[in-house]
Amino acid sequence: MEVHEFSIPVADVDAGGKAFNFPVRAAWVRGVLEDHNATTTGKDGEMSVRVSRSGADIVVYGTLAAELSTPCVRCLEPVPFTVKKEIGVMAVPVAQLKVEAPDYEFAAEEADLLAYEGELIVLDDYIRDELVLETPMTPLCSEDCPGMTHGSSASEPEAEASIDPRLLPLLRLKKSGKVSKE
């Protein structure tokens, strides 16, 4: 039996609605984002949702909050950021979706639908996607970040010792001035 982090039993939901609160555990975030640049800062987040039913359709609406970090695009130092957003999705029985072939393309009206099967609505993939979508595309630790530092200049003798020995002949050639600068 597969264990899910964010699952809601369909039998617990009625037309009047019910509130659910979930911790967004740092360990879970680290696991689901292991193929992504963003990761947890080590602090748990939270998700609070209100779930209501209309026939077989189930509406999930609430807030998601988590603290993540991602590398700066210039210096690769961690850049912390906070995800705090409203979430909303309609869960429908998988039989209600008209998936006809493997190359089926979703229509625009199906974009905010989450298919569920059986007696559980599982929000794990949806929450992972929301965290990924909230990750900045070009994170900076500061606007004036200089980027990666190169250490000492290659013309200094101690710098020559830190250069890969296979590249030393090229450095000597450059210093001799026999290389044209085109």
Side-chain angles (χ1 to χ4, degrees), residues 141-164:
C141 58
S142 71
E143 286 297 320
D144 57 345
C145 176
M148 298 184 82
T149 57
H150 298 293
S152 55
S153 153
S155 61
E156 297 176 19
E158 66 270 4
E160 200 167 297
S162 68
I163 293 177
D164 186 332

Side-chain angles (χ1 to χ4, degrees), residues 23-55:
V24 181
R25 295 180 314 109
W28 179 83
V29 172
R30 189 174 12 274
V32 297
L33 295 181
E34 68 184 355
D35 62 341
H36 192 267
N37 283 338
T39 190
T40 179
T41 60
K43 296 179 183 174
D44 289 349
E46 63 182 352
M47 180 177 68
S48 298
V49 293
R50 181 142 186 92
V51 184
S52 60
R53 172 184 242 156
S54 175

Side-chain angles (χ1 to χ4, degrees), residues 129-152:
D129 292 348
E130 290 296 326
L131 294 174
V132 169
L133 290 171
E134 289 299 307
T135 301
M137 292 185 70
T138 53
L140 291 174
C141 58
S142 71
E143 286 297 320
D144 57 345
C145 176
M148 298 184 82
T149 57
H150 298 293
S152 55

Side-chain angles (χ1 to χ4, degrees), residues 59-155:
V59 177
V60 179
Y61 183 78
T63 58
L64 170 66
E67 292 185 29
L68 304 177
S69 77
T70 191
C72 173
V73 293
R74 292 183 187 161
C75 68
L76 301 180
E77 290 297 316
V79 177
F81 65 98
T82 300
V83 172
K84 189 164 181 87
K85 75 173 290 190
E86 290 185 8
I87 55 173
V89 67
M90 182 178 302
V92 297
V94 73
Q96 200 171 326
L97 292 177
K98 301 172 192 143
V99 180
E100 298 164 5
D103 60 343
Y104 174 78
E105 291 187 32
F106 287 101
E109 60 272 4
E110 295 174 315
D112 287 331
L113 295 180
L114 175 71
Y116 73 90
E117 200 168 18
E119 291 302 310
L120 274 182
I121 298 169
V122 179
L123 299 172
D124 293 23
D125 290 340
Y126 174 73
I127 298 304
R128 181 212 181 269
D129 292 348
E130 290 296 326
L131 294 174
V132 169
L133 290 171
E134 289 299 307
T135 301
M137 292 185 70
T138 53
L140 291 174
C141 58
S142 71
E143 286 297 320
D144 57 345
C145 176
M148 298 184 82
T149 57
H150 298 293
S152 55
S153 153
S155 61

